[in-house]
Amino acid sequence: MKLLSSSSAMSESPLPIVPIEVLKRYHVHEHNDDRLKACARLLQALWLRDRKIPTGVHQRPDGRTRRLGSRLSPAAAAAGRNFLTPELAAMAQHVIAYREPGAFMPSTRVLSNGLSSTTLCLQVMLTLAANLDIATRVFRNLLPDQDVGQVAAIRFEHSLGRRDPSLTADNSAHDCVVYFRRPAGSQHLYDRGVIAMEFKYTEGLYDSAPCEIGRYDDLAEASGLFKDSYHVALRVNPLQQLFREHLLAQASVMRGDWPSAVFVNVAPAANVRVQRQAELYRAFLTPNVPGQVPFVNVTLDAFVAAMERAGAGEAAAALFERYLNWQRIDELVRAAVQARVSKWPARKERKSAPLKIVRHVR
């Protein structure tokens, strides 16, 4: 399997609009799904079906239920079947049980929803947490400017101080934080650093809480990160989540919690909405200088490919199959289109009458 070629090809072409009969066949016909979410939901349903994992139901506000092919049954969810291996399931449930006070990690969604970006983050980063040497090679590949010597630890849904007035004074946190040491003789000013990360799968960059004036204004101005630190676009969706988390990492560096940091956003190449939002956010940033936290956007496709190159080929293949193998959707769409055309009535073969050429003679 060639992850690089598959992912790069996918980034150049849009996902299909899946025929309704296909979505209904796999119990994933959701009226509010956009193109990406419909394809991703179908991919999750295929993954669950292939492994004979029982699926669950969606309950409407009126109490009625319907089967949902991208959701696990309660028993399967409790057993950790939303994860790739029993080892990852056990590690994830340990993270959930010992999550930081105030951490937003809804266990029901993490364990039962195939589309959960938190589950995706745990699948990827717990794989690396289990082998820090592989993690080191992955981040050396993805972040060559950071001079990663050795990854030391990975923390999930992590903040150094929720609602701490010396930081951002709210509940902002990073999906995960990677602590690393730099090698001897590094050209960086500091011998250690952190990678603060945000993961998305099908959703866009969105924060439901309003970005209140006050602390963020002071931080944005003091950080020097932005061309116009008071620009209103940074404080509303879709940019305010990146704005908040970037400033959380910056405030931690300015407070001296860690010497330096980099803020990384991860989402599939096929999530065009997030890719465009990340580029829009980058347009508001000033050129990075020492003391400032750089922003890096990495596709999930590139991340998984880096895992393959770093020696985690089996895990990379499993992640690709679970979250990025859009070719399976293409095959179902082609089959559905062919089935529609095959329903045409058979045509009778008729002999064509000889063509008569009429010449006009004056």
Side-chain angles (χ1 to χ4, degrees), residues 113-176:
N113 193 325
L115 297 178
S116 166
S117 59
T118 302
T119 306
L120 166 63
C121 173
L122 289 168
Q123 307 259 38
V124 173
M125 298 307 296
L126 284 172
T127 299
L128 299 186
N131 191 322
L132 296 181
D133 289 335
I134 288 178
T136 298
R137 292 195 288 271
V138 168
F139 286 107
R140 283 177 183 171
N141 181 278
L142 294 173
L143 304 172
D145 293 340
Q146 292 303 306
D147 205 4
V148 176
Q150 178 66 47
V151 171
I154 299 175
R155 302 284 181 265
F156 294 90
E157 192 58 28
H158 183 50
S159 172
L160 286 175
R162 287 178 174 81
R163 308 207 67 82
D164 189 329
S166 65
L167 294 175
T168 55
D170 62 10
N171 285 320
S172 294
H174 303 294
D175 284 343
C176 70

Side-chain angles (χ1 to χ4, degrees), residues 4 57 61 110 151 175 180 195 200 255 268 283 288 306 334:
L4 278 175
V57 299
V110 171
V151 171
D175 284 343
F180 68 90
I195 305 164
K200 296 293 184 188
R255 194 174 73 169
N288 200 254
R334 282 195 293 269

Side-chain angles (χ1 to χ4, degrees), residues 219-242:
L219 271 177
E221 182 67 17
S223 71
L225 291 171
F226 307 101
K227 297 173 183 176
D228 180 359
S229 60
Y230 292 97
H231 201 294
V232 66
L234 295 168
R235 291 160 171 79
V236 296
N237 291 319
L239 301 186
Q240 69 164 322
Q241 185 175 21
L242 293 179

Side-chain angles (χ1 to χ4, degrees), residues 95-108:
V95 168
I96 293 170
Y98 288 91
R99 62 187 181 271
E100 296 176 3
F104 181 71
M105 191 177 284
S107 58
T108 299

Side-chain angles (χ1 to χ4, degrees), residues 26 44-53 55 69 328:
Y26 293 97
Q44 296 307 306
L46 293 171
W47 188 87
L48 293 170
R49 183 205 62 173
D50 291 348
R51 287 149 186 82
K52 297 181 172 56
I53 298 173
T55 54
R328 298 198 69 184

Side-chain angles (χ1 to χ4, degrees), residues 211-289:
C211 193
E212 300 176 0
I213 61 173
R215 176 61 174 158
Y216 277 100
D217 293 345
D218 297 336
L219 271 177
E221 182 67 17
S223 71
L225 291 171
F226 307 101
K227 297 173 183 176
D228 180 359
S229 60
Y230 292 97
H231 201 294
V232 66
L234 295 168
R235 291 160 171 79
V236 296
N237 291 319
L239 301 186
Q240 69 164 322
Q241 185 175 21
L242 293 179
F243 178 66
R244 288 171 185 256
E245 293 191 31
H246 198 174
L247 281 178
L248 175 61
Q250 182 66 44
S252 300
V253 170
M254 292 166 64
R255 194 174 73 169
D257 295 332
W258 42 56
S260 65
V262 57
F263 176 41
V264 177
N265 183 65
V266 181
N271 192 334
V272 177
R273 178 171 48 166
V274 165
Q275 300 306 325
R276 289 175 176 168
Q277 289 166 350
E279 286 306 306
L280 176 60
Y281 180 71
R282 194 192 307 278
F284 284 90
L285 300 176
T286 59
N288 200 254
V289 299

